[in-house]
Amino acid sequence: MESKSKSNSNSIVVRLFGSWVSYMRRCLFRVISVGPVPSHLAFILDGNRRYARKWGLGEGMGHRAGFLSLMTLMKYCYELGVKYITIYAFSIDNFKRKPDEVQGVMDLMLEKIEGLLKEERIVNQYGVRVEFVGNLKLLSDPVRNAAEKAMRVTAHNSRAILLIAVAYTSTDEIAHAAHQSCLDKNEGVIRLADVERHMYMGVAPDPDILVRTSGETRLSNFLLWQTSSSLLSSPKALWPEMGLRHLVWLVLNFQRVQPYLETKKKKLL
Amino acid sequence: MVSLQFRICFIPSHLKLQLPVPRRSLDLKLPPRALSSAIKAATVNGHPGEDAGFLRGTAVPAGLRRESMPRHVAVIMDGNRRWARMRGLPVGSGYEAGVRALRRMVELCCKWGIRVLTVFAFSSDNWFRPKVEVDVLMALFDRGLREELQYLVSADVRISIIGDSTKLFNSLQALLANAMETTSKNSKLHLIVAVNYSGRSDVVQACQKLAVKVKDGVIEPEDINELVVERELGTNCTDFPHPDLLIRTSGELRVSNFLLWQLAHTELYFTNSLWPDFGEDEFLLALSSFQERQRRYGC
C-alpha cells in the first residue's frame, strides 16, 4: 500500500516536471518567434551508424535511435511553427549498402509507417500530412503500398507537411521531370515552370535551411535544385544526438541572414 | 582537359570561419531496378582519385597526399565588394583584387596538378546589382581576358565559358569565343568560367534540348535518364564535370544557384576569408580539409 502511494507520488512529480519542461520550451519558442521562423526545414539524417558504433549498440539500432530523434525534433519544429519538414530517409545510392542493412532500414520504415497508420497520434495531433517523395517504383511492394496508404490516410491534414524522401536522388528527380516534361504537348519548348511542376518536391516550397548532421558538408544528391538559395548548416552532432538546442541555434542563425535573403528574393521577383 | 573557373569573392580575412569537419574513422528482395539505378548513379557521379595517374610529375604541397588531391575544384569567389568597402576603396578595386586572387589560384592549380577549375564569375542574378557595378565588371572581364590570354596560352591552360553569353556585349562575346578557340588545344588545366550562369537555367536548357530531340524523333522520352540529361549540361565541355571540392569564400553558407546537378557528391568548404585574401595558405587549408573527408557516395 505504502509502495503504491510512493510510486503514485513519484509519477505525479515526473508528470509535473514534464509539464514544467514543456511550458519552458513553449516560452522559449515564443521568444524566438519574435523573429522570422523558417517555414521549411530539410534534414539529411547522417550519423546513425556512427552513433550505434559509438555507443556499442547492435546493427540497425542506430537507425532506431535516429527515428526517436526524428519524432522529438518533428514535435519541436511543429510547436515552433515550421510548416514543412523534409527528411532524406533513403537515397537511391543507399541501395548499394550491404543487403542486411538495406533490409533493416526497409523493415524499420515499414514498421513505422504501419505504426503511424494504426495510431495516427502525432500525425493527427499536429494535423500533419505525410508525403513520400522519390522514385517509389524502386521500393518493394509492401513498403510502397504502406507509403501510398499513409499518404491517402493523411491527405486531409493541412497544418503541417512531412515529406519523406525515399528512393530519392535529386538527379533522378530532375531526369524524371525532364522525361515528364517531354511527354507534355509543348511543341518542344520547356520552361523552368514546366520542370518544377514535374518535380517530386513540387508539393512544397524551397527549403529555408538544409541541415546535414554529423559534420559532413556535402549535399549527397539531395534537393540540389530546391536548395540553390537555402542556408546550409552542418552541426557536428550525429543525427540521434540532435535536440532542442541544435534547433534553437539553427533558427537563430537563420534569423541572422534572413533579411538579406529576403531582399535578394524580392529583387528577383 | 582541365577547366578552371574562377570566381572572385572577397571575404574579410579575419573572419576565418570554416564549417567544422569532424574526423571519424562509415532476405530483402531488392527490386532489380533499384540496384541498377544505384549502379547507374555511381557511374554518373564517378569516383575521383581512382585515376591518380593525372598527378604524376606535379609538385603536391607538403602535408597533402598526392592520391587524394581533388581533380576538379570549383570556387564561388565571394566578398570582393566587402573587401573594397572595408578598405574604403571603390568596388572596382575589389573586383581587380579578385582578379589577382584568381590568377594566383590558376597558378596554384597548375602547379599542384588540379585538372579542372570552375569559377563563378557572374551569376544571372548579378544583373540586379547597380548598373555602374555591372559595367565595371564587364569592363574588367574584357580587360582581364585580353591581358591574361597570353599567359593562359603559355601556361597550357584551356579556357571554356559556361552560361548564357548571348546577353553580353558583342565585343566581349567575340573575345570569349576567340579565347576558347585559341586555347582549345591546351591540356594542363581546364579553366571553366561561369558567366551569366545559373544552375537551374543550365538544367532547363538541357531539358529544352532533349525536348527538341524528342520532337524531332532523335530520341524517345523513355530514353531520358540521368546520363542523357548530363550530356546536355554546360559542363559537357570537360571529361570531369563533377567538382570534388567547392570552395565558397566570404562566410556565406549557400550554393547560390551554382552547378546544381554537378554538386551531387561534392565536398563543400566554406571559409570566412574574402576572395581577394584567398591565397596559398587558405587553399592549402581547404585541400587539407578535403583530404580528411570520408567520401562514401551513399554507401
Side-chain angles (χ1 to χ4, degrees), chain B residues 218-229:
Chain B
V218 175
I219 57 168
E220 297 295 317
E222 290 67 44
D223 299 332
I224 296 175
N225 58 28
E226 292 173 53
L227 283 166
V228 165
V229 173

Side-chain angles (χ1 to χ4, degrees), chain B residues 6 96 99-104 106-107 140-157 159 175 179 183 186 191:
Chain B
F6 294 101
E96 281 167 17
V99 171
R100 291 193 290 276
L102 178 56
R103 166 78 184 251
R104 280 198 302 270
V106 173
E107 286 167 1
L140 195 57
F141 285 151
D142 193 286
R143 196 172 80 236
L145 202 47
R146 283 181 209 281
E147 285 170 6
E148 298 296 337
L149 186 58
Q150 198 43 54
Y151 162 71
L152 291 176
V153 167
S154 62
D156 199 16
V157 174
I159 187 168
L175 185 63
T183 58
N186 294 347
L191 168 60

Side-chain angles (χ1 to χ4, degrees), chain B residues 9 25 34 75 105 128 150 161 183 202 204 206 210 242 244 295:
Chain B
C9 298
S25 44
V75 185
M105 189 74 168
F128 295 98
Q150 198 43 54
I161 307 294
T183 58
D202 195 13
V204 172
L210 290 174
H242 295 231
D244 300 304
R295 307 183 76 187

Side-chain angles (χ1 to χ4, degrees), chain A residues 46-241:
Chain A
D46 201 9
N48 296 310
R49 294 182 293 177
R50 270 169 280 175
Y51 181 85
R53 280 197 295 272
K54 182 174 166 183
W55 293 103
L57 305 174
E59 194 77 34
M61 293 313 291
H63 295 292
R64 290 189 176 269
F67 178 78
L68 291 173
S69 188
L70 173 64
M71 289 296 107
T72 313
L73 227 72
M74 265 175 64
K75 187 170 97 164
Y76 295 160
C77 286
Y78 292 137
E79 273 180 14
L80 185 54
V82 175
K83 180 150 184 192
Y84 299 88
I85 297 177
T86 302
I87 60 168
Y88 202 8
F90 198 83
S91 161
I92 293 177
D93 294 330
N94 294 154
F95 280 117
K96 295 181 288 190
R97 292 183 177 183
K98 289 188 293 203
D100 289 345
E101 191 187 325
V102 176
Q103 172 81 71
V105 172
M106 291 294 154
D107 284 346
L108 177 65
M109 234 188 304
L110 187 58
E111 180 193 315
K112 295 306 171 191
I113 298 173
E114 283 172 348
L116 180 99
L117 291 168
K118 238 186 251 168
E119 282 187 58
E120 303 179 28
R121 193 169 37 93
I122 193 173
V123 154
N124 286 333
Q125 182 187 350
Y126 293 103
V128 178
R129 188 174 105 217
V130 177
E131 293 277 352
F132 284 87
V133 292
N135 195 346
L136 302 185
K137 292 200 284 280
L138 298 178
L139 297 172
S140 64
D141 289 341
V143 180
R144 188 180 58 254
N145 292 337
E148 284 168 356
K149 188 172 179 194
M151 288 196 276
R152 273 197 311 273
V153 158
T154 59
H156 61 279
N157 290 335
S158 58
R159 265 180 59 203
I161 293 141
L162 173 66
L163 298 111
I164 305 174
V166 177
Y168 175 92
T169 58
S170 213
T171 45
D172 176 76
E173 181 187 31
I174 294 171
H176 169 262
H179 171 235
Q180 293 296 119
S181 303
C182 288
L183 288 175
D184 290 341
K185 285 191 175 50
N186 51 25
E187 305 297 318
V189 174
I190 289 185
R191 279 177 274 268
L192 189 122
D194 299 318
V195 175
E196 290 207 307
R197 198 172 56 240
H198 291 297
M199 295 280 202
Y200 299 135
M201 286 291 297
V203 293
D206 293 341
D208 295 300
I209 313 176
L210 171 63
V211 183
R212 184 185 183 128
T213 50
S214 85
E216 305 285 2
T217 37
R218 51 178 181 264
L219 302 171
S220 292
N221 216 338
F222 182 53
L223 303 184
L224 301 174
W225 176 279
Q226 294 82 355
T227 55
S228 68
S229 307
S230 306
L231 176 65
L232 305 176
S233 173
S234 57
K236 275 188 188 164
L238 303 173
W239 173 252
E241 294 166 351

